[in-house]
């Protein structure tokens, strides 16, 4: 018996939660439910996070959280409960299966069956942003080795558990050689541990185009946060079934399962909503807690019901549907199909032995780290790089030379092009003179000299080599 936390949420939430729970219980799910209140009422009672402290205690104790959609009230100050939950509980993996149900649900991609595995905590979503000059703001893209290892291993273990043949990685490492480069490199390392599963890497732009055009070429796709956010919606939409998709948010300790749609307030309380999205989330929950046989039984009964043409209004189509039903009647139809297999759609069969085995991240031995220089970022309102170079050259610290100036990453000095558009945000790179070493002391000296020259330093970035390999980008055009 597994104790789970359930939140019925807002709008259609209570109806679809009752439907989903009735189906999985009828299928023999061994769960006990602790219900908590989250969402609109809690927000409007003055709690801007939408959840009370005691509810966090229950979620953390039970570790498994099945959540119906909630309504985030309009107006400032209310924080998204989804984002807060993900971050607080360290839910690093977002898993969204996108399957087409052709010919029963309309889609341009009849044989699509893909799973998007999205890293959920890092990348540009670390939320570290700064304005640095009048003209330039920045957002830090943070990618960590533990973050990459956890999500990529999860993708391969998931593929193993669900009998999937291939894991694809999407990155833009031809441009972002350090951040996306690390994601790709870790993918290649971990892929070697799973010789029975095919692996491949695509550059995200052409990969996304291919996915939208020929989704049948893919199986499991793993990617960093931002790409995953965008492409998981594209995948759900082109499967033809945004209202039918569920998603899992998985952490080392806790996990949260939900539908991908919202609380649909306009049809709330009318017994019209389709409970399938939340049911898909509940099925992911059952496999996560090891009740794979129940999960399989529910999924096959659900596929059979869709195939029988028993449809809620949102997917009802006179050409293929046989009966338009409400939320409750749909749930009853799925329950009466428990034990049956779909006849046209592909029945699922989960490997009962392959329960997800995710080792804790083990820190690697530290590499030899050597300082090789520094980038001083300067706020300067001129637009001639040669003029800036002559000002910066007055900052002549011991055994250090100005080696390059870039603007938005493009080299503008030495030998820049007058055509290059420049903002007020300049990167001035200092390197040691030939044969000399570079230390933190020189960075301090550079800062002091710059201050004496009234140069507006807005930040510095150290340039390192790890085990002799330079680990920083060159200037574009360098
Ligand atoms: P929505 O997903 O609630 O609705 C979009 C459209 O899809 C509506 O026409 C709706 O009637 C229909 N729809 C959605 N789910 C359906 C279902 N199960 N069966 C039949 N039809 C369904 O999106 P929205 O209208 O943009 O947002 C409504 C509220 O939901 C907002 O307050 C938003 O903040 C919230 N929301 C919550 C979550 C979540 O809790 N995970 C996600 C998205 C939106």
């Amino acid at each position: 018996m597994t104790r789970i936390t359930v939140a019925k949420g807002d709008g259609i939430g209570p109806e679809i939660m009752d439907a989903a729970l009735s189906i999985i219980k009828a299928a023999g799910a061994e769960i006990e439910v602790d219900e908590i209140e989250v969402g609109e009422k809690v927000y409007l009672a003055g709690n801007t996070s939408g959840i009370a402290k005691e509810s966090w205690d229950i979620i953390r104790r039970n570790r498994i959280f099945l959540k119906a959609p909630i309504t985030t009230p309009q107006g400032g100050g209310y924080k998204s409960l989804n984002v807060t939950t993900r971050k607080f509980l360290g839910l690093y993996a977002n898993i969204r299966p996108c399957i087409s149900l052709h010919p029963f649900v309309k889609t341009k991609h009849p044989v699509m069956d893909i799973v998007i595995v999205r890293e959920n905590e890092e990348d540009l979503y670390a939320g570290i942003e700064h304005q640095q000059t009048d003209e330039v703001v920045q957002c830090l893209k943070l990618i960590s080795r533990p973050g990459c290892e956890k999500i990529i291993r999860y993708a391969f273990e998931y593929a193993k558990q669900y009998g999937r043949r291939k894991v694809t990685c999407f990155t833009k490492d031809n441009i972002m050689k350090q951040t996306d480069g690390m994601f790709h490199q870790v993918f290649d390392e971990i892929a070697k541990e799973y010789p029975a599963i095919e692996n491949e890497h695509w550059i995200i732009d052409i990969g996304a185009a291919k996915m939208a055009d020929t989704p049948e070429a893919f199986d499991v796709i793993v990617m960093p946060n931002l790409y995953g956010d965008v492409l998981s919606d594209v995948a759900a939409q082109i499967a033809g079934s945004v209202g039918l998709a569920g998603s899992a948010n998985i952490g080392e300790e806790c996990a949260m399962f939900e539908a991908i749609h919202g609380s649909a307030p306009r049809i709330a309380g009318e017994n019209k909503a389709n409970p399938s999205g939340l049911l898909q989330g509940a099925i992911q929950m059952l496999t996560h807690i090891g009740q794979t046989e129940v999960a399989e039984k529910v999924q096959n009964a659900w596929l059979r019901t869709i195939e029988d043409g028993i449809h809620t209004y949102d997917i009802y189509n006179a050409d293929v549907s046989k009966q338009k039903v409400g939320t409750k009647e749909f749930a009853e139809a799925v329950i009466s199909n428990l034990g049956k297999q779909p006849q046209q759609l592909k029945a699922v069969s989960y490997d009962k032995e392959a329960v997800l085995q995710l080792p804790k991240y083990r820190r690697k031995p530290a590499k030899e780290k050597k300082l090789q220089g520094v980038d001083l970022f300067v706020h300067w309102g001129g637009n001639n790089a040669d003029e800036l170079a002559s000002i910066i050259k007055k900052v002549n610290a011991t055994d250090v030379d100005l080696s390059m100036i870039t603007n938005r990453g493009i080299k503008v000095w030495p030998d820049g092009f007058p055509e290059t558009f420049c903002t007020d945000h300049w990167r001035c790179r200092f390197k040691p003179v030939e044969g000399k070493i570079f230390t933190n002391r020189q960075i301090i000296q550079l800062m002091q000299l710059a201050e004496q020259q009234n140069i507006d330093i807005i930040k510095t970035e150290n340039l390192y080599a790890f085990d002799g390999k330079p680990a920083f980008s060159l200037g574009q055009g360098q």
Side-chain angles (χ1 to χ4, degrees):
M1 195 62 76
T2 303
R3 237 190 147 81
I4 66 166
T5 308
V6 160
K8 292 192 173 175
D10 301 313
I12 57 171
E15 302 159 64
I16 59 173
M17 182 60 85
D18 288 342
L21 287 176
S22 72
I23 296 168
I24 64 171
K25 282 186 180 160
E30 298 191 338
I31 51 166
E32 268 180 287
V33 168
D34 284 324
E35 199 181 323
I36 58 163
E37 178 100 59
V38 297
E40 205 172 16
K41 271 195 220 136
V42 184
Y43 281 120
L44 296 178
N47 189 328
T48 51
S49 63
I51 179 168
K53 189 194 161 297
E54 306 76 61
S55 301
W56 277 124
D57 296 341
I58 298 171
I59 291 174
R60 290 170 60 212
R61 190 184 65 220
N62 291 342
R63 293 161 181 234
I64 303 295
F65 182 22
L66 182 63
K67 186 181 91 40
I70 59 165
T71 303
T72 311
Q74 296 290 316
Y78 299 111
K79 300 212 174 62
S80 153
L81 183 61
N82 270 3
V83 176
T84 315
T85 311
R86 259 180 226 159
K87 294 226 159 173
F88 268 175
L89 300 180
L91 307 181
Y92 65 88
N94 182 274
I95 317 298
R96 189 181 289 184
C98 299
I99 176 173
S100 63
L101 302 164
H102 174 80
F104 307 101
V105 177
K106 213 166 155 234
T107 169
K108 291 180 188 141
H109 302 288
V111 288
M112 171 173 181
D113 180 8
I114 67 181
V115 181
I116 306 285
V117 177
R118 162 189 171 195
E119 199 289 319
N120 224 5
E121 289 186 299
E122 345 194 289
D123 193 1
L124 290 155
Y125 288 49
I128 308 174
E129 294 192 301
H130 302 92
Q131 177 160 3
Q132 297 184 326
T133 65
D134 290 312
E135 292 174 347
V136 175
V137 284
Q138 76 163 16
C139 173
L140 271 190
K141 171 160 167 140
L142 288 181
I143 299 274
S144 74
R145 181 164 263 275
C148 296
E149 285 194 13
K150 284 197 302 190
I151 193 68
I152 290 163
R153 194 172 292 287
Y154 191 91
F156 279 97
E157 284 294 328
Y158 180 96
K160 204 163 107 183
Q161 183 180 25
Y162 286 84
R164 289 184 171 263
R165 71 192 156 82
K166 183 167 78 172
V167 180
T168 304
C169 174
F170 281 0
T171 72
K172 187 80 184 170
D173 68 334
N174 54 332
I175 304 293
M176 283 160 278
K177 296 189 168 72
Q178 299 294 327
T179 48
D180 284 25
M182 182 194 292
F183 198 91
H184 185 175
Q185 187 191 332
V186 172
F187 177 79
D188 288 346
E189 287 168 17
I190 290 181
K192 289 200 187 87
E193 296 176 33
Y194 298 85
I197 300 170
E198 243 183 272
N199 70 81
E200 62 178 10
H201 172 268
W202 287 68
I203 298 291
I204 178 86
D205 40 14
I206 188 64
K210 177 87 174 168
M211 187 197 83
D213 180 65
T214 322
E216 58 274 25
F218 298 105
D219 195 339
V220 175
I221 315 179
V222 63
M223 54 193 125
N225 204 343
L226 175 63
Y227 312 142
D229 191 3
V230 177
L231 289 192
S232 58
D233 270 17
V234 173
Q237 178 71 26
I238 65 171
S241 56
V242 193
L244 306 184
S247 92
N249 293 274
I250 311 282
E252 282 182 349
E253 306 293 336
C254 302
M256 174 174 79
F257 303 86
E258 60 184 342
I260 71 170
H261 60 71
S263 56
R266 273 184 296 142
I267 54 162
E270 293 181 13
N271 189 40
K272 277 171 86 177
N274 189 343
S276 296
L278 188 58
L279 183 65
Q280 288 303 310
I283 292 169
Q284 286 181 280
M285 174 186 81
L286 291 171
T287 56
H288 181 79
I289 60 178
Q291 298 188 25
T292 40
E293 274 174 65
V294 188
E296 197 175 295
K297 197 166 161 190
V298 176
Q299 179 71 349
N300 285 329
W302 175 74
L303 289 169
R304 177 65 180 259
T305 309
I306 298 284
E307 214 179 67
D308 285 347
I310 300 174
H311 294 165
T312 43
Y313 85 96
D314 55 313
I315 57 167
Y316 185 86
N317 166 1
D319 295 340
V320 287
S321 304
K322 300 235 165 55
Q323 208 185 333
K324 192 189 279 180
V325 292
T327 315
K328 277 197 195 118
E329 295 71 29
F330 181 81
E332 282 159 14
V334 177
I335 291 170
S336 69
N337 275 336
L338 287 168
K340 292 189 195 153
Q341 302 272 317
Q343 288 166 321
Q344 239 177 291
L345 295 168
K346 195 166 151 251
V348 298
S349 158
Y350 304 139
D351 181 351
K352 280 134 208 111
E353 304 304 314
V355 171
L356 259 66
Q357 301 272 343
L358 291 159
K360 287 242 180 229
Y361 172 75
R362 284 246 225 65
R363 186 165 281 168
K364 313 277 173 299
K367 292 182 177 166
E368 191 203 8
K369 178 173 136 186
K370 261 201 176 142
L371 193 60
Q372 298 209 320
V374 69
D375 282 342
L376 300 189
F377 286 77
V378 172
H379 182 175
W380 183 65
N383 43 36
N384 182 319
D386 291 337
E387 189 187 332
L388 178 62
S390 64
I391 298 171
I392 298 290
K393 281 194 158 196
K394 292 183 192 142
V395 180
N396 49 357
T398 325
D399 296 336
V400 176
D401 275 340
L402 177 66
S403 72
M404 169 183 84
I405 300 176
T406 70
N407 195 293
R408 290 187 298 173
I410 303 143
K411 190 190 73 167
V412 290
W413 181 92
D415 309 323
F417 286 4
E419 292 86 350
T420 305
F421 182 84
C422 290
T423 67
D424 59 0
H425 185 270
W426 307 81
R427 172 175 61 163
C428 304
R429 175 161 293 180
F430 288 89
K431 297 284 239 7
V433 296
E434 189 74 33
K436 300 288 179 183
I437 56 158
F438 191 86
T439 67
N440 280 329
R441 205 165 292 158
Q442 276 137 318
I443 299 177
I444 296 164
Q445 200 190 4
L446 282 167
M447 297 283 284
Q448 279 170 339
L449 293 168
E451 143 94 338
Q452 284 161 19
Q453 298 291 333
N454 285 326
I455 294 168
D456 185 2
I457 307 285
I458 48 179
K459 73 159 183 171
T460 65
E461 207 65 71
N462 293 0
L463 309 177
Y464 290 112
F466 284 84
D467 280 354
K469 208 170 135 209
F472 49 87
S473 51
L474 300 176
Q476 285 162 342
Q478 193 185 17

